[in-house]
Short mmCIF file of all heavy atoms in Angstrom, two decimals:
data_model
loop_
_atom_site.label_atom_id
_atom_site.label_comp_id
_atom_site.label_asym_id
_atom_site.label_seq_id
_atom_site.Cartn_x
_atom_site.Cartn_y
_atom_site.Cartn_z
N SER A 1329 0.75 -1.21 0.15
CA SER A 1329 -0.01 0.04 0.01
C SER A 1329 0.89 1.22 -0.03
O SER A 1329 0.58 2.16 -0.76
CB SER A 1329 -0.89 0.06 1.31
OG SER A 1329 -1.83 -1.03 1.19
N LEU A 1330 1.95 1.35 0.86
CA LEU A 1330 2.91 2.41 0.83
C LEU A 1330 3.63 2.56 -0.49
O LEU A 1330 3.81 3.70 -0.93
CB LEU A 1330 3.81 2.24 2.03
CG LEU A 1330 3.09 2.47 3.38
CD1 LEU A 1330 4.04 2.00 4.50
CD2 LEU A 1330 2.79 3.91 3.65
N GLY A 1331 3.96 1.47 -1.13
CA GLY A 1331 4.61 1.43 -2.33
C GLY A 1331 3.61 2.10 -3.41
O GLY A 1331 4.11 2.91 -4.26
N ILE A 1332 2.38 1.74 -3.43
CA ILE A 1332 1.38 2.35 -4.36
C ILE A 1332 1.18 3.83 -4.09
O ILE A 1332 1.22 4.60 -5.12
CB ILE A 1332 0.06 1.60 -4.09
CG1 ILE A 1332 0.12 0.11 -4.60
CG2 ILE A 1332 -1.04 2.29 -4.81
CD1 ILE A 1332 -1.09 -0.69 -4.19
N ILE A 1333 1.17 4.22 -2.81
CA ILE A 1333 0.90 5.61 -2.49
C ILE A 1333 2.04 6.40 -2.93
O ILE A 1333 1.94 7.44 -3.59
CB ILE A 1333 0.68 5.75 -1.01
CG1 ILE A 1333 -0.75 5.15 -0.56
CG2 ILE A 1333 0.78 7.26 -0.61
CD1 ILE A 1333 -1.01 5.03 1.00
N TYR A 1334 3.28 6.09 -2.64
CA TYR A 1334 4.40 6.87 -3.07
C TYR A 1334 4.72 6.80 -4.54
O TYR A 1334 5.17 7.82 -5.04
CB TYR A 1334 5.72 6.32 -2.18
CG TYR A 1334 5.71 6.87 -0.81
CD1 TYR A 1334 5.66 5.97 0.22
CD2 TYR A 1334 5.78 8.21 -0.51
CE1 TYR A 1334 5.72 6.42 1.61
CE2 TYR A 1334 5.75 8.73 0.82
CZ TYR A 1334 5.66 7.63 1.82
OH TYR A 1334 5.73 8.20 3.10
N PHE A 1335 4.34 5.75 -5.14
CA PHE A 1335 4.53 5.71 -6.69
C PHE A 1335 3.59 6.75 -7.24
O PHE A 1335 3.99 7.43 -8.17
CB PHE A 1335 4.22 4.40 -7.22
CG PHE A 1335 3.91 4.28 -8.62
CD1 PHE A 1335 4.94 4.49 -9.65
CD2 PHE A 1335 2.61 4.09 -9.15
CE1 PHE A 1335 4.71 4.56 -10.88
CE2 PHE A 1335 2.36 4.11 -10.47
CZ PHE A 1335 3.37 4.45 -11.33
N HIS A 1336 2.35 6.77 -6.89
CA HIS A 1336 1.46 7.70 -7.40
C HIS A 1336 1.81 9.18 -7.13
O HIS A 1336 1.55 10.12 -7.82
CB HIS A 1336 0.02 7.41 -7.03
CG HIS A 1336 -0.70 6.19 -7.72
ND1 HIS A 1336 -1.13 6.41 -9.02
CD2 HIS A 1336 -0.70 4.84 -7.49
CE1 HIS A 1336 -1.54 5.18 -9.50
NE2 HIS A 1336 -1.35 4.28 -8.44
N GLN A 1337 2.20 9.38 -5.85
CA GLN A 1337 2.72 10.75 -5.50
C GLN A 1337 3.94 11.18 -6.40
O GLN A 1337 4.01 12.30 -6.74
CB GLN A 1337 3.12 10.87 -3.96
CG GLN A 1337 1.90 10.69 -3.11
CD GLN A 1337 2.27 10.98 -1.64
OE1 GLN A 1337 3.19 10.20 -1.14
NE2 GLN A 1337 1.48 11.67 -0.88
N GLY A 1338 4.81 10.25 -6.62
CA GLY A 1338 5.98 10.55 -7.48
C GLY A 1338 5.52 10.88 -8.91
O GLY A 1338 6.04 11.81 -9.44
N SER A 1339 4.56 10.10 -9.41
CA SER A 1339 4.11 10.37 -10.79
C SER A 1339 3.36 11.74 -10.87
O SER A 1339 3.48 12.39 -11.81
CB SER A 1339 3.08 9.21 -11.15
OG SER A 1339 3.74 8.01 -11.23
N ALA A 1340 2.60 12.03 -9.81
CA ALA A 1340 1.83 13.37 -9.85
C ALA A 1340 2.74 14.54 -9.70
O ALA A 1340 2.45 15.48 -10.27
CB ALA A 1340 0.71 13.26 -8.73
N ARG A 1341 3.75 14.34 -8.79
CA ARG A 1341 4.57 15.56 -8.44
C ARG A 1341 5.89 15.62 -9.11
O ARG A 1341 6.65 16.48 -8.87
CB ARG A 1341 4.65 15.61 -6.88
CG ARG A 1341 3.41 15.76 -6.22
CD ARG A 1341 3.44 15.57 -4.70
NE ARG A 1341 2.24 15.64 -4.12
CZ ARG A 1341 1.83 15.43 -2.83
NH1 ARG A 1341 2.90 14.94 -1.97
NH2 ARG A 1341 0.69 15.52 -2.31
N LYS A 1342 6.23 14.55 -9.86
CA LYS A 1342 7.45 14.43 -10.60
C LYS A 1342 8.59 14.66 -9.73
O LYS A 1342 9.60 15.45 -10.05
CB LYS A 1342 7.47 15.47 -11.72
CG LYS A 1342 6.32 15.43 -12.65
CD LYS A 1342 6.23 14.04 -13.33
CE LYS A 1342 4.98 14.04 -14.37
NZ LYS A 1342 4.81 12.64 -14.84
N LYS A 1343 8.75 13.97 -8.62
CA LYS A 1343 9.77 14.04 -7.60
C LYS A 1343 10.35 12.63 -7.33
O LYS A 1343 9.56 11.73 -6.99
CB LYS A 1343 9.38 14.73 -6.37
CG LYS A 1343 9.05 16.16 -6.44
CD LYS A 1343 8.77 16.82 -5.12
CE LYS A 1343 8.51 18.30 -5.23
NZ LYS A 1343 8.30 18.98 -3.95
N GLY A 1344 11.63 12.40 -7.72
CA GLY A 1344 12.26 11.12 -7.52
C GLY A 1344 12.20 10.54 -6.11
O GLY A 1344 12.28 9.29 -5.94
N ILE A 1345 12.16 11.51 -5.08
CA ILE A 1345 12.19 11.02 -3.69
C ILE A 1345 11.09 10.04 -3.44
O ILE A 1345 11.23 9.10 -2.53
CB ILE A 1345 12.22 12.25 -2.74
CG1 ILE A 1345 12.38 11.73 -1.28
CG2 ILE A 1345 10.99 13.14 -2.96
CD1 ILE A 1345 13.65 11.05 -1.00
N TYR A 1346 9.95 10.34 -3.95
CA TYR A 1346 8.77 9.47 -3.69
C TYR A 1346 9.00 8.06 -4.34
O TYR A 1346 8.57 7.08 -3.66
CB TYR A 1346 7.57 10.08 -4.32
CG TYR A 1346 7.11 11.32 -3.63
CD1 TYR A 1346 7.17 12.57 -4.25
CD2 TYR A 1346 6.52 11.31 -2.37
CE1 TYR A 1346 6.77 13.79 -3.55
CE2 TYR A 1346 6.14 12.42 -1.66
CZ TYR A 1346 6.30 13.65 -2.30
OH TYR A 1346 5.88 14.73 -1.72
N PHE A 1347 9.72 7.89 -5.46
CA PHE A 1347 9.88 6.71 -6.16
C PHE A 1347 10.91 5.88 -5.25
O PHE A 1347 10.78 4.70 -5.18
CB PHE A 1347 10.47 6.81 -7.55
CG PHE A 1347 9.44 7.50 -8.52
CD1 PHE A 1347 9.90 8.62 -9.29
CD2 PHE A 1347 8.15 7.04 -8.73
CE1 PHE A 1347 8.91 9.12 -10.13
CE2 PHE A 1347 7.31 7.52 -9.55
CZ PHE A 1347 7.61 8.61 -10.35
N GLU A 1348 11.81 6.56 -4.66
CA GLU A 1348 12.80 6.01 -3.83
C GLU A 1348 12.07 5.44 -2.62
O GLU A 1348 12.46 4.31 -2.17
CB GLU A 1348 13.89 6.95 -3.42
CG GLU A 1348 14.82 7.45 -4.43
CD GLU A 1348 15.70 6.23 -4.96
OE1 GLU A 1348 15.91 5.28 -4.30
OE2 GLU A 1348 16.13 6.42 -6.20
N LYS A 1349 11.10 6.13 -2.04
CA LYS A 1349 10.43 5.51 -0.84
C LYS A 1349 9.58 4.36 -1.31
O LYS A 1349 9.51 3.41 -0.53
CB LYS A 1349 9.51 6.78 -0.32
CG LYS A 1349 10.35 7.92 0.39
CD LYS A 1349 9.27 8.87 0.97
CE LYS A 1349 10.01 9.91 1.87
NZ LYS A 1349 9.10 10.89 2.40
N ALA A 1350 8.96 4.45 -2.51
CA ALA A 1350 8.14 3.24 -2.89
C ALA A 1350 9.00 2.06 -3.11
O ALA A 1350 8.62 0.88 -2.67
CB ALA A 1350 7.48 3.72 -4.33
N LEU A 1351 10.15 2.20 -3.62
CA LEU A 1351 11.22 1.17 -3.84
C LEU A 1351 11.57 0.55 -2.48
O LEU A 1351 11.80 -0.65 -2.25
CB LEU A 1351 12.33 1.52 -4.56
CG LEU A 1351 12.17 1.78 -6.12
CD1 LEU A 1351 13.52 2.33 -6.68
CD2 LEU A 1351 11.76 0.45 -6.77
N THR A 1352 11.79 1.47 -1.44
CA THR A 1352 12.17 1.04 -0.09
C THR A 1352 11.16 0.06 0.47
O THR A 1352 11.42 -1.02 1.02
CB THR A 1352 12.35 2.28 0.84
OG1 THR A 1352 13.40 3.05 0.32
CG2 THR A 1352 12.79 1.72 2.22
N TYR A 1353 9.87 0.48 0.36
CA TYR A 1353 8.82 -0.33 0.91
C TYR A 1353 8.54 -1.62 0.19
O TYR A 1353 8.39 -2.60 0.83
CB TYR A 1353 7.50 0.49 1.09
CG TYR A 1353 7.55 1.54 2.19
CD1 TYR A 1353 7.61 2.92 1.99
CD2 TYR A 1353 7.42 1.09 3.64
CE1 TYR A 1353 7.64 3.84 3.08
CE2 TYR A 1353 7.62 1.92 4.61
CZ TYR A 1353 7.57 3.34 4.36
OH TYR A 1353 7.65 4.19 5.36
N LEU A 1354 8.58 -1.52 -1.11
CA LEU A 1354 8.49 -2.78 -1.91
C LEU A 1354 9.54 -3.76 -1.68
O LEU A 1354 9.47 -4.94 -1.76
CB LEU A 1354 8.40 -2.40 -3.40
CG LEU A 1354 7.18 -1.60 -3.86
CD1 LEU A 1354 7.32 -1.28 -5.32
CD2 LEU A 1354 5.90 -2.37 -3.63
N GLY A 1355 10.76 -3.18 -1.26
CA GLY A 1355 11.97 -4.08 -0.91
C GLY A 1355 11.64 -4.89 0.29
O GLY A 1355 12.35 -6.04 0.44
N PHE A 1356 10.70 -4.60 1.12
CA PHE A 1356 10.39 -5.27 2.27
C PHE A 1356 9.45 -6.46 2.02
O PHE A 1356 9.25 -7.37 2.81
CB PHE A 1356 9.75 -4.41 3.36
CG PHE A 1356 10.70 -3.42 3.92
CD1 PHE A 1356 10.15 -2.08 4.14
CD2 PHE A 1356 11.97 -3.58 4.17
CE1 PHE A 1356 10.97 -1.06 4.71
CE2 PHE A 1356 12.80 -2.67 4.63
CZ PHE A 1356 12.36 -1.38 4.89
N VAL A 1357 8.83 -6.44 0.81
CA VAL A 1357 7.93 -7.45 0.32
C VAL A 1357 8.73 -8.78 -0.05
O VAL A 1357 9.62 -8.77 -0.87
CB VAL A 1357 7.01 -7.02 -0.77
CG1 VAL A 1357 6.18 -8.22 -1.15
CG2 VAL A 1357 6.26 -5.83 -0.45
N PRO A 1358 8.51 -9.93 0.64
CA PRO A 1358 9.23 -11.12 0.30
C PRO A 1358 9.30 -11.48 -1.16
O PRO A 1358 8.24 -11.32 -1.77
CB PRO A 1358 8.63 -12.20 1.14
CG PRO A 1358 7.87 -11.48 2.31
CD PRO A 1358 7.52 -10.11 1.61
N VAL A 1359 10.33 -11.98 -1.72
CA VAL A 1359 10.51 -12.34 -3.08
C VAL A 1359 9.49 -13.58 -3.37
O VAL A 1359 8.85 -13.54 -4.43
CB VAL A 1359 11.96 -12.83 -3.38
CG1 VAL A 1359 11.92 -13.27 -4.91
CG2 VAL A 1359 12.90 -11.64 -3.18
N ARG A 1360 9.44 -14.46 -2.46
CA ARG A 1360 8.50 -15.68 -2.71
C ARG A 1360 7.21 -15.43 -1.99
O ARG A 1360 6.85 -16.25 -0.99
CB ARG A 1360 9.23 -16.90 -2.16
CG ARG A 1360 10.48 -17.13 -2.83
CD ARG A 1360 11.14 -18.48 -2.42
NE ARG A 1360 12.41 -18.80 -3.12
CZ ARG A 1360 12.52 -19.37 -4.24
NH1 ARG A 1360 11.28 -19.77 -4.91
NH2 ARG A 1360 13.63 -19.67 -4.82
N CYS A 1361 6.47 -14.34 -2.21
CA CYS A 1361 5.14 -14.16 -1.63
C CYS A 1361 4.10 -14.67 -2.62
O CYS A 1361 4.36 -15.15 -3.74
CB CYS A 1361 4.95 -12.63 -1.44
SG CYS A 1361 5.12 -11.70 -2.93
N HIS A 1362 2.89 -14.62 -2.07
CA HIS A 1362 1.73 -15.21 -2.96
C HIS A 1362 1.60 -14.40 -4.15
O HIS A 1362 1.98 -13.21 -4.26
CB HIS A 1362 0.47 -14.97 -2.03
CG HIS A 1362 -0.71 -15.71 -2.59
ND1 HIS A 1362 -1.41 -15.17 -3.71
CD2 HIS A 1362 -1.32 -16.88 -2.34
CE1 HIS A 1362 -2.44 -16.05 -4.02
NE2 HIS A 1362 -2.36 -17.06 -3.20
N GLU A 1363 1.13 -14.96 -5.22
CA GLU A 1363 1.12 -14.35 -6.60
C GLU A 1363 0.25 -13.07 -6.59
O GLU A 1363 0.53 -12.22 -7.40
CB GLU A 1363 0.70 -15.34 -7.67
CG GLU A 1363 -0.77 -15.85 -7.39
CD GLU A 1363 -1.05 -16.98 -8.39
OE1 GLU A 1363 -0.13 -17.65 -9.00
OE2 GLU A 1363 -2.20 -17.20 -8.68
N LYS A 1364 -0.84 -12.99 -5.80
CA LYS A 1364 -1.64 -11.82 -5.69
C LYS A 1364 -0.78 -10.54 -5.30
O LYS A 1364 -1.17 -9.50 -5.61
CB LYS A 1364 -2.81 -11.94 -4.83
CG LYS A 1364 -2.63 -12.25 -3.34
CD LYS A 1364 -3.79 -12.43 -2.60
CE LYS A 1364 -3.48 -12.65 -1.06
NZ LYS A 1364 -4.77 -12.95 -0.26
N TYR A 1365 0.25 -10.85 -4.54
CA TYR A 1365 1.14 -9.78 -4.07
C TYR A 1365 2.32 -9.64 -5.11
O TYR A 1365 2.81 -8.53 -5.41
CB TYR A 1365 1.71 -9.95 -2.68
CG TYR A 1365 0.53 -10.13 -1.55
CD1 TYR A 1365 0.55 -11.20 -0.77
CD2 TYR A 1365 -0.42 -9.14 -1.47
CE1 TYR A 1365 -0.53 -11.25 0.09
CE2 TYR A 1365 -1.35 -9.23 -0.61
CZ TYR A 1365 -1.55 -10.26 0.31
OH TYR A 1365 -2.48 -10.32 1.20
N ASN A 1366 2.78 -10.72 -5.54
CA ASN A 1366 3.93 -10.80 -6.54
C ASN A 1366 3.64 -9.87 -7.80
O ASN A 1366 4.48 -9.19 -8.25
CB ASN A 1366 4.21 -12.18 -6.77
CG ASN A 1366 5.72 -12.41 -6.98
OD1 ASN A 1366 6.52 -11.63 -7.53
ND2 ASN A 1366 6.22 -13.55 -6.55
N LEU A 1367 2.43 -10.19 -8.29
CA LEU A 1367 2.04 -9.51 -9.46
C LEU A 1367 1.95 -8.00 -9.33
O LEU A 1367 2.47 -7.12 -10.14
CB LEU A 1367 0.67 -10.02 -10.03
CG LEU A 1367 0.57 -11.42 -10.57
CD1 LEU A 1367 -0.77 -11.85 -10.85
CD2 LEU A 1367 1.51 -11.44 -11.79
N ARG A 1368 1.47 -7.57 -8.26
CA ARG A 1368 1.40 -6.12 -7.81
C ARG A 1368 2.75 -5.56 -7.71
O ARG A 1368 3.03 -4.51 -8.12
CB ARG A 1368 0.50 -5.89 -6.54
CG ARG A 1368 -0.95 -6.09 -6.70
CD ARG A 1368 -1.71 -5.89 -5.45
NE ARG A 1368 -3.08 -6.21 -5.46
CZ ARG A 1368 -4.16 -5.37 -5.89
NH1 ARG A 1368 -3.79 -4.10 -6.27
NH2 ARG A 1368 -5.33 -5.80 -5.95
N LYS A 1369 3.67 -6.27 -6.91
CA LYS A 1369 4.95 -5.76 -6.69
C LYS A 1369 5.67 -5.57 -8.00
O LYS A 1369 6.30 -4.57 -8.21
CB LYS A 1369 5.70 -6.72 -5.69
CG LYS A 1369 7.12 -6.33 -5.52
CD LYS A 1369 7.83 -7.43 -4.66
CE LYS A 1369 9.28 -6.98 -4.51
NZ LYS A 1369 10.04 -8.04 -3.61
N ARG A 1370 5.71 -6.63 -8.76
CA ARG A 1370 6.49 -6.63 -10.07
C ARG A 1370 6.00 -5.59 -11.04
O ARG A 1370 6.79 -4.85 -11.71
CB ARG A 1370 6.49 -8.00 -10.68
CG ARG A 1370 7.21 -9.02 -9.94
CD ARG A 1370 7.03 -10.49 -10.55
NE ARG A 1370 7.80 -11.54 -9.83
CZ ARG A 1370 8.93 -11.90 -9.91
NH1 ARG A 1370 9.79 -11.26 -10.88
NH2 ARG A 1370 9.56 -12.79 -9.27
N SER A 1371 4.58 -5.43 -11.06
CA SER A 1371 4.13 -4.43 -12.11
C SER A 1371 4.41 -3.00 -11.51
O SER A 1371 4.75 -2.02 -12.32
CB SER A 1371 2.68 -4.54 -12.24
OG SER A 1371 1.94 -4.46 -11.00
#
């Protein structure tokens, strides 16, 4: 959810700091998670 929020904020405000925050939170999502989360994370 935080990855989604910061991604959209970065897209709307054109600031890279938001994308970095999004990547940070997505990095906490396990690599071998359920596909319903894996698809969202990868996309």
Side-chain angles (χ1 to χ4, degrees):
S1329 295
L1330 288 167
I1332 292 169
I1333 288 173
Y1334 283 118
F1335 163 72
H1336 282 279
Q1337 286 183 317
S1339 297
R1341 298 170 183 173
K1342 305 301 179 186
K1343 291 185 178 180
I1345 184 66
Y1346 291 110
F1347 296 128
E1348 291 296 336
K1349 288 183 177 181
L1351 287 174
T1352 298
Y1353 285 111
L1354 291 176
F1356 296 140
V1357 178
V1359 176
R1360 298 183 181 278
C1361 58
H1362 191 281
E1363 62 189 24
K1364 64 183 177 184
Y1365 301 126
N1366 216 321
L1367 292 173
R1368 288 181 186 270
K1369 175 185 175 180
R1370 290 175 183 272
S1371 59

